[in-house]
Amino acid sequence: MIRQEQEAVMARYTIRIPRYASGEGGEPTVQDFTVEAQESWTVLDALNEIKWHQAGSLAYRRSCRHGICGSCAMTVNGVNRLTCETQLASLPELIVVEPLRGLPVIKDLVVDMGSLYEAMMLVQPYLVTRTTPPSDRERLQSPVNRAKLDGFYECILCASCTSSCPSFWADKEYLGPHACLWAWRFVADSRDDGAGDRLSVLDDKHGVWRCHTIYNCVEVCPKSLNPTSAISKLKRAIIKGKF
Ligand code: SF4
Ligand code: SF4
Ligand code: FES
């Protein structure tokens, strides 16, 4: 059995992690861990190996392991990625794993996502209807109108986009590409009546006008979504006064 496990080891990696002390701020202590990995391993598998066998106090978020929950986004060799979807085999032998940029670090690789959720709630990421009395039936939507939401509803809230946005780095009050994408997802929904409220919030120096179309958000989105396109559509809707 031991021999079989040894044969399954395909490569040795050094995983470099800045260890931030809990709640203390300040500079991290950088630690290197050696991981002997099998061919199929992801960066998250390597972090699990470290936590389970080398450093039990290592803190990071993860849940689904299948690119669905959005918990495991981190900066890997300078690029925001879902660690559960990033194969070690696609990376060099030295892998630097850091917390998402631009957000306060709680401990090690865990960041405080509170400001991102607050920004999202400002744009009302849910269907707003003003029909009175409220409909007692399902609100129907034509296939054509349903198709208009494609590319805008699949967000898993991993924060990779906003954390890679230079406009967000410069202005922490900027609502961010994640919130703008969610805003457009509902503004574009034929069943929704809340566009006016959302566009009023976004028509602000900390709203869509903060975006300078740099496209970092598009490059890093693990779901191949296009927040920049959503932002452009929101800008157009504001200019046209469609609310
Ligand atoms: S396109 Fe806009 S939202 Fe996306 S990274 Fe650039 S400035 Fe940020
Ligand atoms: S738009 Fe993409 S990168 Fe941004 S939070 Fe959603 S899934 Fe993550
Ligand atoms: S653990 Fe859920 S997306 Fe990676």
Side-chain angles (χ1 to χ4, degrees), residues 118-124 173 175 179-180 183 194-209 238 243:
E118 281 166 21
M120 215 177 98
M121 292 315 289
L122 287 176
V123 300
Q124 303 184 81
E173 288 184 59
L175 295 176
C180 294
D197 292 346
R198 294 190 193 94
L199 296 178
S200 299
V201 169
L202 289 159
D203 184 14
D204 185 88
K205 66 178 180 181
H206 304 300
V208 289
W209 308 114
I238 290 168
F243 59 100

Side-chain angles (χ1 to χ4, degrees), residues 24-45:
E24 290 179 10
E27 290 302 305
T29 303
V30 176
Q31 275 189 300
D32 283 352
F33 300 93
T34 301
V35 170
E36 295 190 337
Q38 295 175 19
E39 191 179 16
S40 62
W41 278 23
T42 63
V43 173
L44 181 58
D45 289 324

Side-chain angles (χ1 to χ4, degrees), residues 161 164-168 174 176-177 210-218 227-228 231:
C161 53
S164 71
C165 172
S167 296
F168 178 72
Y174 172 36
R210 181 60 65 184
C211 168
H212 301 301
T213 325
I214 303 163
Y215 286 101
N216 279 15
C217 53
V218 178
T228 315
I231 292 168

